[in-house]
């Protein structure tokens, strides 16, 4: 049941499917551990011979239901919830890349992910080559080395709003026998399902649109099940015996779910980057209305972007839904239902005017967050990128006047009115 459902129905109906007499709403299993009648059953669970929950660090019934829902939305074989998006990105990489290995990433990615890759992964001995998000097939080819283990990109980058040519990146990765991992936080599976374009693994910061209410921090890793790990000897962690489970071989025991199973039984077991059952419940409740919210975020953002483009007090507007946008064509292909609610723009008067404009806003709130159902706004140059000089900002693609505006699901006229009055008061 469920495979034929449209994505809107999956948001509401997938995951928790109560049996006779069970709670209608996903129950919160707020328990660290689970009771068994005999030690044989528990032993079999530890040996991964049977399915079941042992300890919430590794799995939990509330989280499992949400994982099943997200896997269904993305079209994958399995998913793993994590404590934050950062943990999901980190684990998606170190599940298959280790000290002495090399990875390739688009440079147009979330700042936190950039730091994780450029600093922490390098400190762990994983080398990285950053490539332009607009790199040609030839440029991508040139970045590969014999020890390259994966390629990483963001469907719609935060905050640059660059659209990744998923097919081009997937093709380059597959030509070299490695998977493509895509961070799909901004479009969500409502607007783009990267597996349909050849991506192999999807990660999300569920703290953004999936939760959508700015309630619970979280992340998720989703496995398409499509990548053939056994086709080469590049991934011994998946194709050679795991001595911590009596010599079990992931690809033989778990087939298409090898990668995501190892993420759980090996990585989350060892790292403890687990969400609380309560946060999994909040996430589930967020996803119940994801399809409705994304539709409104996108239609509101389109109206706001078109308004900004017409207003002469605005110097530039970046929104992939505008025909003038550099990524309009790619957005039409990968994000035909809309990109997201996030717009960036500049106001006349530069950095100083940008700050005064933000202070003048009444409805839009200044917060370090995006993808919230409440309209919010951030000035990267004076917050997230505040240590950088104007020259460094330019190199990072953040202009001193850049305002990152996350359009909420209020009435678009009220949001536009708020922007207009804040501009008038400058
Ligand atoms: C916020 C964000 C992250 C990090 O997620 P957290 O839940 O804050 O750890 C990763 N990728 C993207 C695209 C993001 O916007």
């Amino acid at each position: 049941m469920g495979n034929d459902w449209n994505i809107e129905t999956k948001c509401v109906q997938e995951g928790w499917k109560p049996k006779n007499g069970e709670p209608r709403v996903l129950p919160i299993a707020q328990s660290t551990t689970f009771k068994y009648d005999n030690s044989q059953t528990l032993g079999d669970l530890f040996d991964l011979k049977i399915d079941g929950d042992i300890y919430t660090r590794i799995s939990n019934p509330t989280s499992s239901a949400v994982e099943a829902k997200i896997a269904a939305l993305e079209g994958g074989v399995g998913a793993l919830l994590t404590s934050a998006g950062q943990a999901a990105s980190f684990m998606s990489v170190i599940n298959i890349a280790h000290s002495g290995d090399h990875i390739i990433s688009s440079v147009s990615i979330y700042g936190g992910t950039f730091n994780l890759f450029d600093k922490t992964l390098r400190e762990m001995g994983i080398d990285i080559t950053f490539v332009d998000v607009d790199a040609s097939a030839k440029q991508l080819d040139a970045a590969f080395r014999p020890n390259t283990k994966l390629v990483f990109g963001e469907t719609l980058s935060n905050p640059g709003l660059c659209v990744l040519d998923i097919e081009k990146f997937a093709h380059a990765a597959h030509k070299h026998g490695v998977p493509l991992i895509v961070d799909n936080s901004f479009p969500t599976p409502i607007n783009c399902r990267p597996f349909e374009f050849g991506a192999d693994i999807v990660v999300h910061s569920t703290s953004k649109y999936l939760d959508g209410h700015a309630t619970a921090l979280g992340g998720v890793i989703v496995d398409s099940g499509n990548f053939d790990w056994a086709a080469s000897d590049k991934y011994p962690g998946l194709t050679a015996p795991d001595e911590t489970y009596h010599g079990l071989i992931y690809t033989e025991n778990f087939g298409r779910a090898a990668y995501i199973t190892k993420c759980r039984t090996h990585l989350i077991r060892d790292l403890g980057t687990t969400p609380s059952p309560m946060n999994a419940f909040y996430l589930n409740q967020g996803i119940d209305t994801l399809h409705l919210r994304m539709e409104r975020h996108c239609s509101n953002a389109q109206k706001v972007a078109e308004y900004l483009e017409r207003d002469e007090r605005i110097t530039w507007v970046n929104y992939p839904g505008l025909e003038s946008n550099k990524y309009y064509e790619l957005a039409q292909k990968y994000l035909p239902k809309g990109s997201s609610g996030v717009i960036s723009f500049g106001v006349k008067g530069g950095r100083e005017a940008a700050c005064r404009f933000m202070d003048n806003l009444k409805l839009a709130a200044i917060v370090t967050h995006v993808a919230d159902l409440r309209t919010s706004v951030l000035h990267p140059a004076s917050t997230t990128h505040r240590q950088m000089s104007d020259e460094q900002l330019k190199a990072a693609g953040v202009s001193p006047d850049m305002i990152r505006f996350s359009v909420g699901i209020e009435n678009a006229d009220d949001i536009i009115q708020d922007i207009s009055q804040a501009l008038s008061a400058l």
Side-chain angles (χ1 to χ4, degrees):
M1 183 173 81
N3 278 340
D4 300 336
W5 281 337
N6 289 293
I7 195 144
E8 296 81 0
T9 308
K10 287 180 180 172
C11 282
V12 180
Q13 295 286 350
E14 277 290 357
W16 173 245
K17 291 174 180 169
K19 299 187 198 73
N20 193 38
E22 289 186 337
R24 181 70 192 96
V25 174
L26 173 65
I28 306 166
Q30 194 67 48
S31 179
T32 58
T33 193
F34 302 87
K35 181 219 166 237
Y36 289 93
D37 287 342
N38 57 65
S39 43
Q40 179 62 44
T41 313
L42 199 55
D44 287 347
L45 281 164
F46 267 98
D47 283 348
L48 306 180
K49 283 186 186 146
I50 55 170
D51 258 349
D53 301 298
I54 304 173
Y55 191 58
T56 287
R57 169 152 42 78
I58 299 163
S59 73
N60 171 282
T62 308
S63 298
S64 300
V66 188
E67 288 161 350
K69 181 186 270 196
I70 296 173
L73 292 175
E74 287 286 5
V77 295
L80 176 69
L81 292 185
T82 61
S83 50
Q86 285 299 99
S89 302
F90 179 56
M91 290 163 65
S92 75
V93 171
I94 64 162
N95 200 34
I96 48 172
H98 313 290
S99 178
D101 288 341
H102 170 256
I103 69 170
I104 296 169
S105 175
S106 159
V107 73
S108 300
I109 51 173
Y110 173 65
T113 313
F114 184 88
N115 288 337
L116 166 69
F117 288 178
D118 196 43
K119 180 111 175 84
T120 305
L121 286 190
R122 282 190 203 279
E123 284 170 356
M124 290 173 60
I126 299 173
D127 202 2
I128 179 156
T129 301
F130 287 104
V131 292
D132 198 290
V133 64
D134 304 321
S136 67
K138 210 169 145 204
Q139 287 168 325
L140 286 175
D141 253 357
F144 285 86
R145 301 180 194 166
N147 60 341
T148 303
K149 291 298 167 74
L150 62 94
V151 178
F152 190 98
E154 243 166 61
T155 321
L156 180 65
S157 68
N158 174 13
L161 304 177
C162 307
V163 179
L164 185 76
D165 191 339
I166 301 172
E167 282 180 350
K168 181 165 69 181
F169 272 66
H171 186 257
H174 296 162
K175 197 174 146 192
H176 293 268
V178 308
L180 173 65
I181 304 179
V182 169
D183 183 333
N184 196 35
S185 301
F186 270 24
T188 82
I190 300 301
N191 287 344
C192 180
R193 287 176 298 281
F195 296 157
E196 294 172 3
F197 299 103
D200 302 285
I201 307 293
V202 156
V203 296
H204 284 273
S205 165
T206 62
S207 324
K208 309 297 162 53
Y209 287 115
L210 290 184
D211 169 85
H213 297 67
T215 305
L217 206 67
V220 70
I221 306 171
V222 193
D223 186 351
S224 69
N226 294 335
F227 192 80
D228 186 359
W229 308 102
S232 75
D233 56 4
K234 273 179 186 279
Y235 305 102
L238 291 165
T239 58
D242 181 348
E243 295 314 329
T244 68
Y245 286 108
H246 310 302
L248 168 150
I249 297 174
Y250 285 95
T251 45
E252 287 182 5
N253 279 263
F254 303 106
R256 292 183 67 203
Y259 172 95
I260 200 68
T261 305
K262 179 169 177 274
C263 263
R264 181 187 307 282
T265 56
H266 190 152
L267 285 185
I268 216 160
R269 175 198 67 182
D270 292 358
L271 299 175
T273 41
T274 314
S276 70
M278 189 77 207
N279 274 3
F281 171 85
Y282 285 131
L283 171 58
N284 185 61
Q285 206 156 52
I287 299 172
D288 284 342
T289 57
L290 179 67
H291 53 302
L292 296 174
R293 289 185 288 106
M294 288 314 288
E295 209 176 287
R296 180 63 76 89
H297 277 295
C298 292
S299 65
N300 276 0
Q302 186 69 33
K303 285 180 198 161
V304 172
E306 285 169 10
Y307 161 80
L308 291 169
E309 196 167 48
R310 283 193 307 268
D311 196 301
E312 60 196 15
R313 296 167 292 186
I314 302 296
T315 44
W316 57 271
V317 186
N318 180 11
Y319 187 66
L322 294 175
E323 276 182 49
S324 60
N325 192 272
K326 180 180 173 189
Y327 293 100
Y328 181 74
E329 297 297 331
L330 277 181
Q332 291 301 300
K333 173 174 176 177
Y334 291 108
L335 308 159
K337 293 206 278 185
S339 52
S340 78
V342 185
I343 303 173
S344 59
F345 60 92
V347 294
K348 270 190 187 151
R351 178 196 285 260
E352 202 246 337
C355 291
R356 274 193 291 126
F357 165 77
M358 285 176 50
D359 291 346
N360 291 344
L361 289 166
K362 294 189 166 78
L363 184 150
I366 302 172
V367 295
T368 309
H369 194 51
V370 282
D372 179 353
L373 52 80
R374 305 158 196 91
T375 295
S376 56
V377 64
L378 178 84
H379 181 229
S382 63
T383 53
T384 49
H385 296 67
R386 119 174 242 117
Q387 72 283 4
M388 294 183 177
S389 67
D390 282 5
E391 286 69 39
Q392 286 173 322
L393 285 174
K394 203 174 274 172
V398 176
S399 57
D401 65 341
M402 180 202 260
I403 290 166
R404 190 183 68 181
F405 203 84
S406 177
V407 179
I409 62 170
E410 303 93 342
N411 185 300
D413 293 341
D414 293 332
I415 301 167
I416 290 169
Q417 169 55 30
D418 191 36
I419 295 172
S420 171
Q421 67 79 25
L423 288 169
S424 300
L426 276 181

